[in-house]
Amino acid sequence: MDLQMEAYKQEFIDFMVESKVLKFGDFTLKSGRIAPYFINTGNYKTGKQLAKLGEYYAACIRENNLQPETLVGPAYKGIPLSVTTAIALFNGYGKELNYCF
């Protein structure tokens, strides 16, 4: 199970790098701290990317046996994340739930 989980995580990381969402280097955060990586979900720019992202999130929810009733997408970047995850949960697993923002 751990090996399968590691493969899943690596596939998601590769997807973020290919989508130019995850970048490695030295980044100064608003707090002034230096981070070795930076994630900007605003760089997801296509329907295909969002659909795939929703599938990853839905699989993670399912894999961890989470039972949410509502997905909350904080403005602004979180809105499409909650919507695409809700769609993927329904399409992939027949799980219907609410979303809001």
Side-chain angles (χ1 to χ4, degrees):
M1 181 90 171
D2 288 320
L3 187 58
Q4 185 179 20
M5 178 61 92
E6 291 303 315
Y8 176 80
K9 290 177 184 178
Q10 186 61 52
E11 183 181 323
F12 180 60
I13 291 168
D14 292 343
F15 168 71
M16 289 193 300
V17 170
E18 290 166 9
S19 300
K20 296 182 174 52
V21 168
L22 172 61
K23 296 183 180 185
F24 296 97
D26 291 323
F27 301 92
T28 303
L29 306 177
K30 288 181 184 179
S31 66
R33 292 178 37 203
I34 304 297
Y37 63 89
F38 187 74
I39 297 172
N40 182 358
T41 60
N43 286 340
Y44 290 119
K45 297 180 180 176
T46 70
K48 181 179 178 179
Q49 288 172 328
L50 278 180
K52 188 68 178 165
L53 182 62
E55 291 171 8
Y56 282 118
Y57 284 4
C60 182
I61 288 169
R62 172 99 167 171
E63 207 167 280
N64 288 285
N65 200 31
L66 302 176
Q67 301 296 322
E69 293 179 18
T70 303
L71 296 177
V72 179
Y76 289 98
K77 295 175 186 176
I79 294 170
L81 300 180
S82 66
V83 173
T84 193
T85 303
I87 292 169
L89 281 166
F90 180 75
N91 287 341
Y93 305 105
K95 172 79 173 162
E96 187 169 15
L97 53 88
N98 299 315
Y99 71 89
C100 66
F101 44 87

